Amino acid sequence: MEQSTLLTWITFTPSIGLGVIGLSLLLRPWLKPSRSFLDHFSRTVALVCSGVSLALTAVVWLNFDPANTEVQFVHHLVWIRAFNIEYFMGVDGLSITLVMLTALISFIAALASLPWGIPRDDDHHFSRRAVPGYMAMLLLLETGMFGVFCALDFFLFYVFWEVMLLPMYFLIGIWGGPRREYAAIKFFLYTLAGSVLMLLAMIALYFSSNPTTLVDGTYAAHTFNLIKLAQENDFTSMGTLLGMGFTKVLWVGLFIAFAIKIPMFPFHTWLPDAHVEAPTPISVILAGILLKMGVYGILRINYPILPDASVWARPAVATFGMINIVYAAFVCMAQKDLKKLIAYSSVSHMGFCLLGMAAFTPQGISGAVYQMWTHGIVSPALFLIAGVIYDRAHHREIEKFGGLAKQMPEYSAVVGLAFMASLGLPGLIGFISEALCFLGAFPVFTGLTVISALGVIITAAYYLWTIQRMFLGPLNENYKNLSDMNWRERLTLYPLAALIVFLGFYPMPILDLMNTTIHRLIEPLARMAGN
Amino acid sequence: MTPVGLVHFIVLGSLLFVLGMLCVLTRRNAVSILIGVELILNAAALNFVAFAHFNGRSLDGTMMALFIIVLAAAEAAVALALILSLQRRTRLVDVSKTGSLKG
Amino acid sequence: MSTETTIVENFHYLWLIPLFPLLGALLNGLAGRPLHRRFGEKIISAIGVSLPWASFVVAAISFFKLQSLPAGAQLSDHLWTWLSIGQMEVPFALSMDALSAMMALIVTFVGSLIHVYSIGYMHQDAGYSRFFAYLNLFLFAMLVLVLGNNLLLMFVGWEGVGLCSYLLIGFWYEDLNNARAGMKAFVVNRIGDFGFLVGLFVLFWGVGGAWSDAGYSLGASYTLDFEKLRQVVAGTVEKTIWGFPVPAVAAICFFIGATGKSAQIPLYVWLPDAMAGPTPVSALIHAATMVTAGVYMVARLNFLYLLSPTAMTVVALVGAATALFAATIGCFQYDIKKVLAYSTVSQLGYMFIGVGVGAFWAGAYHVLTHAFFKACLFLAAGSVILAMHHQQDMRKMGGLGRVMPITRWTYWISCVAIAGFPIASGFFSKDEILWRAFDADGLLVPGWLIWLLGFTAAGLTAFYMFRSYFLVFTGPTAKLEHGHGDDGHEEHAQHEPEEQRPVITGVLVLLAAGAVILAFVGLPQLWMGVPPALEHFLEPVFSGAENLPRAGHGHGAEWGLMLSSLAIASLGLGMAWWLYRERKNSLPEKLKERFPNIHRVVYNKYYVDEFYQATAVRGFMFLSRACRWLDEHVVDGLVNGAGAITRALAYLDGLIDQYVVDGLVNLIADATRRAGDKLRRIQTGQLPAYLSGLALGGLVLVVLVRIFLNWNE
């Protein structure tokens, strides 16, 4: 099929920006720019690169054919011939929505990293400290994220997966809050441990794969090509490994790697620390995009390549989904830090994906994939909201606030909208994905779904209680002078708010993109499971 | 009287050797040690000649004795030169006083 | 059960009905404050009131259009496809049949009247524009609820009204008690919504073929549309889920939702607290419209309930129990709004009795009559509260009938209606319900039991309603206390309460008139010889209910019941008149002193709230704290423990490396050095020693050669 370099441009434009920033730093002794010039320059470069990626992604979106279940916009070259590794990028219904999400949220995060509205003398604020380095890391992170979603060669996928880790470590570890080193290293090592399992599984799959040809026709004894691994290989005949079936062991290893990222109980404890310590735009990216990679990985790798093990594991997946939803919701109730509460609510909402995914029904899988998109819009909004109040009051303790609705009505309205979306109010974006996940999982895991549905009660309780403690009641004297939202905050929050309302009433633009592909993905699994 | 056999020569040679050994090991004077060395050498030469004579009258033993004499001469020359040099340094030829190479 | 397809006519103006209030909400919500600052209250009122009236006009037009079609037709307006997943397609579509036409007219008419009333009630409130925005938003959500043509869209409206209820109860949010009441409403509603969702899931998959011997298939017909559900729902009768028949499970789960939204046992506790909101809110949301959504839902899903006598029994019993329970509490309350709140809970119980025994049209009729007389009661109470400067305790009121005649007489007419006297509509709706309850034969409990509960409650209703009337409007005239000017209302200078503005009194008159006139649509067959107009109008919607088993009591019984209803209502009125008229009687006080414990228990609502707080709420919070502890100490403890173990192992490894491995290297070097040290002693520098060594060595060599090389052979 014909090749398109669009995805490569989308993925690597941020790297070009990274290079430009690096160059500007290298040339410093000769050009002698002022510090503020360097800061402005790097911010501009970051915005421009994110903007270009966003624009190109829009082009991809408009030209995407939802009815075609093959991958589109393919860019396929041979990379490392000695190991049959190819540079294979493409999008299909599953990844197109995530690429769009990445583009949008990265751009919003770049916007949120600007210091508009932060007082000039606040030099310790993350948006004014070591700005070129920050923007460089942000751009590198963006490349990694795009790459993960577009890569269709397992090795390439792994490379991009690892590329993401390092910038995150620095972004949290340098520009974060008081316990940033602990949070950063925890995040890094935890994810890396999972990646090691993925690496082992990847190698095992490689050496067990059937011979095929590379894109230029040369013979390859094994392959990393994800499409081919799924379609041309049946690993069930591989016997046992470490006492269990080969496919099951691999599946579990890969699943743990992805489960750490989702984050799934009990591998979730890195998330609250990472979120609390990270600066606001990084929390936005972490919640909006990085968490989706776990679910994406399972759908892209576990389900197509190891279907029999997927069927074997589905009760466990559903159970863990239920635990995520209910357990994390309970923990939210007891939180005192606003950002930690939102972090745990993220854990809870990703549980919906697990539940929907395990059911192998069209509604369930649509719900799971749409929930990724939903959560990717609502969660960044929530973290931006936390950032607004933190920038003003310099703490996030819920109990210490009170009556803010009187002082900051616009902000309160936006918070109300975002909280309502997160708790799944019908008419807003959150409801559809949650309802679809429940609906899809109900016939297969009736009891688990009923218990998970109790989660909606708990979710409503903690969000409303937070609103009551923070925004209602008499105005706390300390906060009489807080200013309402400024233009940077409006610019980052209002597009998300608009999407929350619009896609709640008319979700078909996004659903249409994904439906055909994921239903085809699920069909063989459903048949195998005897649905 | 029994005829003079090989044994007598070997005994003589051994005697000479032992005497020479004693001389080497116990004398303090360097020249005395040299005399002892000469004795040892001559004992060895005597041994060679005796064996040569009594085992087929070959000339090999006599040749060896000649070699030994030459060697003894050369070696005496070198040794005496060393002793001279030693005497110039320390005004003595007493080997018990030459411990400067102690490691 | 009829399965013929109904006539559906496209009517593309239906979407205007919810749209107009939505526009009002958006305008007043987004631009309200600047508009208020520049143009004053008038522009806000203009937007906020005219748009609901416009909506009513369109609703009326649609109603007449519907009338022009043959019976059983529906109007439909498909807006766009909301969800399309595999075989499931859920449109964003509105439809209007007889039932939803009636509901839409109630919502828009009574709603618009209450909007007019709010101009007076919320005059000079700081949040004037916000109030109208929320109220319009509520109308939007309620109209989506009644006009939505499928369960999911109805659920959008269902939760939407819950949201607006939350916003409006906590409207004066600077007082945390109001905020807490709002949160309580939302959370308790959410518990009901959980039931609604589970019911939806059961129904959806049950219709599609799940839980039968064949298992469900992806190719079956999946729908959430009411019309289509009506046709296929009979197929679920054979199936069981968790051992229970599917229709029963689904119906009961939906009913749990209804107990939340319509404040029945056990989820009624939010409604009395909701009185913290402004009185128009109480009138519109917690009397006329939102709380009737549960009844509407059961009526809409009548084809499901008719499949399960168990579910219908549950509905009727819970309704009857709630009616009686709430009525007892209402007898002892002193806050006028609380009396009306418990009265609402009780009347809602009647509506559920109606739909529970299969008299769906009667339940709907009671919704209609209740909307008018209850709204009138609340608004009249609001008028009284305004006149008394936000004093709500009836003990501090009295004699207002003299100074507020319009309020007094409209309140009186509404009391007559609710108590059940034949001059107003309440008698006919309530009586029909009680008659049908008595005559019901298909339930799991005898019909007369339900009737008995309702009958007792009717007597109590008459009693407490007229108690409130006499306490407020008769007796010595109350004096105003100064210092009650909260919520931004300006202080009035007078010392006596007085009648309110026409904006307020006009609405009261209209509502009271409606409460009387609506009697005519429900005049029973017993009197007129033909079925009541409303029953005939609603008949096609409830076509499956014709064949319900009836005990077949004759006209004699029906007359007897009607007369006994009249009797008990008169008894209640009489008791109230005797005990509370003009406050002349000191018996109530004496009784309270004789039986303080009974009084205390009932006055405190049987301590149900406290019970919930001690069990559910405390348990909840404990569980959440436990989970948090678990997460921070056990799960994270394991992670940090893993980290600590790794660091300890690393430290050990470092020690090993430093002392063992490196030590080995150092040891070798050391040994070598020491050996060298010892061996050095051979170098004495003494020539004789060297010579001795030479000799000895030579000897040793010779011996060794002799031994090992055997040179002597």
Side-chain angles (χ1 to χ4, degrees):
Chain A
M1 70 185 85
E2 64 204 49
Q3 306 234 15
S4 154
T5 54
L6 209 49
L7 289 177
T8 306
W9 277 110
I10 292 178
T11 309
F12 288 106
T13 306
S15 304
I16 297 176
L18 168 68
V20 168
I21 295 182
L23 201 65
S24 73
L25 289 175
L26 263 177
L27 293 177
R28 231 186 338 186
W30 293 275
L31 299 178
K32 293 207 206 329
S34 69
R35 194 186 130 190
S36 79
F37 173 78
L38 268 181
D39 287 358
H40 287 311
F41 180 70
S42 353
R43 289 186 192 120
T44 317
V45 168
L47 274 173
V48 164
C49 290
S50 313
V52 166
S53 287
L54 181 62
L56 291 177
T57 308
V59 172
V60 170
W61 172 42
L62 291 170
N63 291 315
F64 184 81
D65 177 11
N68 181 0
T69 55
E70 303 293 318
V71 279
Q72 303 172 37
F73 296 98
V74 169
H75 196 187
H76 200 169
L77 309 164
V78 176
W79 184 21
I80 305 177
R81 198 176 290 277
F83 293 108
N84 303 320
I85 297 171
E86 301 172 296
Y87 177 79
F88 187 11
M89 306 273 266
V91 286
D92 65 357
L94 176 59
S95 41
I96 179 77
T97 52
L98 293 167
V99 172
M100 286 160 60
L101 187 67
T102 308
L104 179 65
I105 299 298
S106 305
F107 186 69
I108 288 185
L111 273 177
S113 309
L114 300 173
W116 298 350
I118 310 290
R120 257 183 217 283
D121 51 1
D122 188 355
D123 260 346
H124 290 295
H125 196 260
F126 69 86
S127 61
R128 288 190 200 278
R129 258 199 306 143
V131 176
Y134 180 94
M135 294 296 159
M137 289 291 112
L138 200 63
L139 290 170
L140 186 58
L141 185 62
E142 210 180 320
T143 297
M145 296 191 295
F146 276 122
V148 166
F149 289 125
C150 297
L152 289 168
D153 178 285
F154 207 158
F155 191 86
L156 188 66
F157 176 87
Y158 188 77
V159 166
F160 279 121
W161 183 277
E162 297 296 309
V163 163
M164 270 194 314
L165 285 188
L166 199 67
M168 274 311 279
Y169 172 76
F170 283 121
L171 284 166
I172 299 179
I174 299 181
W175 287 274
R179 282 170 77 227
R180 54 184 179 266
E181 293 93 357
Y182 169 73
I185 199 103
K186 195 172 179 182
F187 161 80
F188 187 80
L189 287 179
Y190 220 138
T191 316
L192 196 62
S195 305
V196 167
L197 289 170
M198 181 166 39
L199 181 65
L200 291 172
M202 174 175 94
I203 296 176
L205 279 174
Y206 174 71
F207 283 113
S208 318
S209 58
N210 295 332
T212 180
T213 56
L214 299 177
V215 67
D216 60 352
T218 47
Y219 171 78
H222 302 296
T223 179
F224 280 109
N225 186 324
L226 286 173
I227 312 284
K228 294 216 169 111
L229 280 174
Q231 289 171 353
E232 297 174 11
N233 286 280
D234 178 15
F235 294 101
T236 49
S237 52
M238 283 288 147
T240 59
L241 181 70
L242 304 174
M244 272 172 75
F246 177 79
T247 48
K248 294 189 178 137
V249 173
L250 251 56
W251 197 95
V252 171
L254 284 168
F255 184 71
I256 293 180
F258 295 130
I260 291 176
K261 263 239 126 25
I262 288 178
M264 186 184 88
F265 178 91
F267 305 117
H268 65 285
T269 50
W270 60 271
L271 187 72
D273 288 309
H275 264 133
V276 168
E277 303 301 328
T280 306
I282 306 305
S283 288
V284 162
I285 292 186
L286 181 58
I289 308 168
L290 259 58
L291 299 189
K292 318 294 176 280
M293 295 183 174
V295 181
Y296 172 76
I298 298 179
L299 289 173
R300 172 66 77 203
I301 299 176
N302 280 37
Y303 274 19
I305 302 180
L306 304 165
D308 58 310
S310 305
V311 172
W312 162 73
R314 81 202 263 228
V317 175
T319 313
F320 277 116
M322 183 273 285
I323 294 176
N324 255 43
I325 297 174
V326 178
Y327 171 80
F330 271 118
V331 180
C332 277
M333 273 294 278
Q335 288 305 323
K336 300 203 162 38
D337 179 325
L338 178 66
K339 223 168 169 191
K340 216 165 186 181
L341 187 148
I342 300 175
Y344 275 108
S345 92
S346 272
V347 176
S348 186
H349 282 81
M350 293 310 282
F352 287 101
C353 292
L354 285 169
L355 189 65
M357 227 160 57
F360 299 158
T361 54
Q363 289 84 3
I365 193 73
S366 293
V369 179
Y370 193 54
Q371 172 76 355
M372 286 205 277
W373 175 264
T374 299
H375 184 258
I377 300 284
V378 174
S379 231
L382 290 171
F383 280 107
L384 286 170
I385 283 167
V388 168
I389 196 69
Y390 182 72
D391 278 344
R392 284 157 178 71
H394 297 294
H395 74 89
R396 290 179 299 257
E397 284 181 64
I398 301 175
E399 308 275 332
K400 291 219 177 101
F401 293 111
L404 288 177
K406 189 97 184 153
Q407 182 67 20
M408 307 166 76
E410 189 182 348
Y411 174 63
S412 314
V414 176
V415 172
L417 182 70
F419 277 8
M420 288 296 148
S422 190
L423 64 83
L425 191 77
L428 300 178
I429 196 176
F431 169 66
I432 296 172
S433 46
E434 287 180 18
L436 281 175
C437 285
F438 284 143
L439 191 61
F442 193 76
V444 187
F445 298 111
T446 314
L448 286 175
T449 309
V450 171
I451 299 175
S452 307
L454 285 171
V456 304
I457 305 174
I458 310 170
T459 312
Y462 69 71
Y463 273 130
L464 287 180
W465 194 34
T466 306
I467 292 181
Q468 183 186 300
R469 285 179 289 173
M470 280 181 73
F471 293 99
L472 306 178
L475 177 60
N476 190 326
E477 285 299 306
N478 299 336
Y479 303 116
K480 275 180 88 155
N481 296 322
L482 289 186
S483 56
D484 212 339
M485 300 209 300
N486 60 44
W487 273 105
R488 166 180 55 93
E489 290 155 350
R490 289 204 184 111
L491 211 58
T492 49
L493 274 169
Y494 281 169
L496 294 175
L499 278 174
I500 286 176
V501 177
F502 180 73
L503 288 174
F505 284 101
Y506 190 50
M508 287 316 284
I510 307 293
L511 283 176
D512 258 337
L513 289 171
M514 62 171 81
N515 271 348
T516 331
T517 312
I518 54 186
H519 293 168
R520 259 218 9 194
L521 174 72
I522 277 300
E523 230 179 278
L525 290 166
R527 253 183 284 118
M528 227 187 263
N531 265 8
Chain B
M1 185 150 106
T2 47
V4 175
L6 184 56
V7 176
H8 303 99
F9 281 99
I10 292 172
V11 168
L12 179 62
S14 320
L15 261 171
L16 279 175
F17 184 85
V18 169
L19 282 173
M21 204 82 211
L22 270 169
C23 211
V24 163
L25 292 174
T26 54
R27 304 302 295 263
R28 274 200 301 174
N29 196 317
V31 181
S32 312
I33 294 176
L34 192 58
I35 294 170
V37 170
E38 289 297 319
L39 273 175
I40 292 172
L41 284 170
N42 281 307
L46 186 62
N47 223 9
F48 270 116
V49 169
F51 270 105
H53 179 75
F54 283 100
N55 284 336
R57 295 197 177 215
S58 73
L59 282 174
D60 295 329
T62 319
M63 284 287 303
M64 285 307 301
L66 275 173
F67 268 111
I68 289 172
I69 290 169
V70 170
L71 263 167
E75 171 255 322
V78 173
L80 283 169
L82 281 170
I83 291 171
L84 255 177
S85 162
L86 178 66
Q87 206 249 347
R88 282 222 190 103
R89 276 180 179 265
T90 60
R91 305 187 86 232
L92 287 169
V93 282
D94 188 341
V95 295
S96 66
K97 301 260 183 331
T98 58
S100 63
L101 274 180
K102 179 173 175 156
Chain C
M1 171 111 57
S2 65
T3 50
E4 77 265 357
T5 48
T6 48
I7 306 157
V8 175
E9 166 121 353
N10 282 321
F11 187 65
H12 292 292
Y13 298 103
L14 281 180
W15 69 292
L16 291 175
I17 303 180
L19 179 74
F20 283 137
L22 179 64
L23 277 178
L26 286 172
L27 272 171
N28 269 331
L30 297 174
R33 284 187 336 154
L35 281 174
H36 190 178
R37 267 197 296 272
R38 268 199 76 186
F39 298 109
E41 282 185 3
K42 289 233 161 44
I43 180 101
I44 308 291
S45 326
I47 299 174
V49 176
S50 61
L51 285 168
W53 280 116
S55 184
F56 170 68
V57 166
V58 180
I61 295 176
S62 313
F63 171 73
F64 286 117
K65 174 92 180 145
L66 191 61
Q67 287 287 71
S68 74
L69 296 174
Q74 280 183 18
L75 298 174
S76 154
D77 191 6
H78 178 107
L79 295 172
W80 65 77
T81 305
W82 194 23
L83 290 174
S84 172
I85 315 273
Q87 299 282 2
M88 173 177 108
E89 179 146 337
V90 180
F92 210 97
L94 305 175
S95 83
M96 183 187 265
D97 65 355
L99 178 65
S100 42
M102 182 190 95
M103 291 297 296
L105 285 173
I106 295 175
V107 171
T108 48
F109 185 69
V110 177
S112 303
L113 280 179
I114 294 179
H115 277 73
V116 172
Y117 177 94
S118 305
I119 299 178
Y121 194 86
M122 300 301 291
H123 179 54
Q124 292 186 328
D125 189 291
Y128 195 77
S129 60
R130 185 164 56 101
F131 185 79
F132 277 98
Y134 287 164
L135 217 58
N136 279 355
L137 188 65
F138 168 79
L139 277 187
F140 165 71
M142 190 71 203
L143 288 165
V144 169
L145 198 162
V146 299
L147 289 175
N149 86 334
N150 60 73
L151 271 171
L152 215 56
L153 197 53
M154 176 196 250
F155 191 66
V156 173
W158 185 274
E159 289 246 29
V161 296
L163 172 71
C164 294
S165 173
Y166 165 74
L167 291 171
L168 284 164
I169 292 173
F171 184 71
W172 291 312
Y173 56 81
E174 283 175 50
D175 182 353
L176 259 185
N177 289 320
N178 300 339
R180 284 201 197 102
M183 182 172 152
K184 185 173 178 179
F186 196 93
V187 175
V188 174
N189 259 250
R190 260 277 154 137
I191 299 176
D193 297 342
F194 158 75
F196 189 105
L197 276 177
V198 174
L200 191 151
F201 299 149
V202 172
L203 188 60
F204 178 78
W205 290 110
V207 158
W211 305 299
S212 62
D213 294 322
Y216 81 90
S217 66
L218 290 177
S221 65
Y222 288 104
T223 180
L224 286 167
D225 290 6
F226 293 121
E227 256 324 287
K228 298 198 192 115
L229 277 175
R230 183 214 274 255
Q231 287 157 16
V232 297
V233 77
T236 62
V237 173
E238 302 296 312
K239 303 173 188 155
T240 60
I241 176 173
W242 302 316
F244 301 104
V246 165
V249 174
I252 292 179
C253 286
F254 278 120
F255 182 62
I256 294 176
T259 59
K261 189 66 71 189
S262 299
Q264 299 294 291
I265 293 173
L267 296 174
Y268 68 91
V269 291
W270 62 273
L271 189 55
D273 286 34
M275 295 299 114
T279 309
V281 171
S282 309
L284 181 59
I285 300 185
H286 306 126
T289 46
M290 176 178 119
V291 291
T292 54
V295 184
Y296 169 73
M297 184 263 291
V298 175
R300 174 58 72 206
L301 291 174
N302 60 77
F303 43 83
L304 176 66
Y305 283 89
L306 287 168
L307 291 176
S308 167
T310 320
M312 291 184 75
T313 314
V314 169
V315 173
L317 261 181
V318 170
T322 309
L324 184 55
F325 177 77
T328 59
I329 301 180
C331 293
F332 286 78
Q333 297 300 312
Y334 293 121
D335 182 331
I336 188 170
K337 282 180 79 171
K338 288 262 168 40
V339 173
L340 294 176
Y342 283 105
S343 155
T344 304
V345 175
S346 182
Q347 295 300 307
L348 287 167
Y350 276 104
M351 298 178 212
F352 280 110
I353 295 177
V355 295
V357 300
F360 294 103
W361 86 269
Y365 184 33
H366 203 57
V367 170
L368 175 63
T369 60
H370 179 265
F372 278 86
F373 62 65
K374 190 46 72 65
C376 185
L377 283 168
F378 264 111
L379 294 182
S383 167
V384 165
I385 292 172
L386 270 184
M388 295 291 297
H389 282 204
H390 293 279
Q391 171 62 260
Q392 292 179 208
D393 191 331
M394 294 193 292
R395 294 173 289 192
K396 304 234 171 74
M397 301 178 192
L400 293 177
R402 280 187 279 280
V403 288
M404 306 176 72
I406 303 179
T407 307
R408 177 223 192 130
W409 287 113
T410 51
Y411 194 89
W412 184 83
I413 292 177
S414 308
C415 280
V416 163
I418 195 174
F421 291 102
I423 46 175
S425 55
F427 169 75
F428 298 102
S429 55
K430 194 187 284 191
D431 199 68
E432 181 70 25
I433 290 175
L434 288 176
W435 158 240
R436 289 295 301 272
F438 190 80
D439 201 39
D441 199 31
L443 300 176
L444 303 179
V445 296
W448 58 260
L449 176 65
I450 312 270
W451 173 84
L452 187 61
L453 293 170
F455 177 72
T456 319
L460 287 171
T461 306
F463 170 70
Y464 68 69
M465 285 312 303
F466 278 104
R467 166 180 176 262
S468 70
Y469 171 75
F470 288 122
L471 279 176
V472 173
F473 291 105
T474 66
T477 309
K479 290 280 183 290
L480 282 176
E481 295 165 12
H482 280 288
H484 273 283
D486 41 23
D487 336 292
H489 288 243
E490 63 177 22
E491 294 279 341
H492 299 291
Q494 55 282 61
H495 288 261
E496 265 208 351
E498 62 171 26
E499 187 58 273
Q500 298 298 308
R501 301 157 50 181
V503 178
I504 290 183
T505 53
V507 171
L508 291 175
V509 168
L510 278 171
L511 286 173
V516 174
I517 295 172
L518 284 172
F520 290 100
V521 304
L523 291 173
Q525 187 160 6
L526 203 58
W527 291 19
M528 309 300 290
V530 289
L534 190 64
E535 180 178 6
H536 179 73
F537 176 62
L538 291 176
E539 203 178 343
V541 183
F542 306 124
S543 54
E546 295 146 0
N547 306 319
L548 274 181
R550 304 273 294 261
H553 295 292
H555 289 310
E558 202 176 341
W559 276 112
L561 286 177
M562 215 177 269
L563 287 171
S564 54
S565 299
L566 191 55
I568 193 99
S570 312
L571 182 63
L573 166 57
M575 290 287 296
W577 185 83
W578 175 49
L579 287 175
Y580 295 104
R581 171 190 54 103
E582 309 285 339
R583 294 178 189 247
K584 285 193 205 148
N585 203 331
S586 59
L587 191 55
E589 290 301 313
K590 293 210 191 101
L591 281 172
K592 190 163 97 166
E593 278 158 42
R594 274 297 301 278
F595 304 104
N597 289 329
I598 299 180
H599 181 267
R600 195 166 35 103
V601 168
V602 181
Y603 177 66
N604 282 310
K605 315 159 269 159
Y606 302 100
Y607 294 112
V608 172
D609 275 305
E610 288 74 3
F611 174 72
Y612 281 167
Q613 177 76 19
T615 52
V617 178
R618 295 265 293 263
F620 205 67
M621 294 306 295
F622 171 75
L623 203 57
S624 59
R625 273 197 299 272
C627 283
R628 180 187 173 182
W629 181 90
L630 190 76
D631 207 64
E632 276 177 22
H633 293 101
V634 176
V635 182
D636 215 18
L638 280 172
V639 173
N640 286 335
I645 290 178
T646 311
R647 272 204 313 278
L649 278 175
Y651 181 70
L652 255 168
D653 206 33
L655 285 179
I656 292 177
D657 202 53
Q658 189 181 358
Y659 291 112
V660 177
V661 177
D662 216 22
L664 214 62
V665 172
N666 287 337
L667 192 69
I668 293 176
D670 214 38
T672 312
R673 194 175 54 82
R674 280 207 226 118
D677 225 13
K678 297 267 164 37
L679 283 172
R680 208 210 301 162
R681 305 236 183 97
I682 296 182
Q683 302 285 39
T684 55
Q686 302 281 358
L687 188 57
Y690 294 163
L691 292 169
S692 314
L694 194 69
L696 205 62
L699 190 65
V700 168
L701 260 176
V702 168
V703 168
L704 284 175
V705 163
R706 172 73 180 84
I707 295 175
F708 290 110
L709 287 182
N710 278 335
W711 247 2
N712 206 22
E713 22 170 44

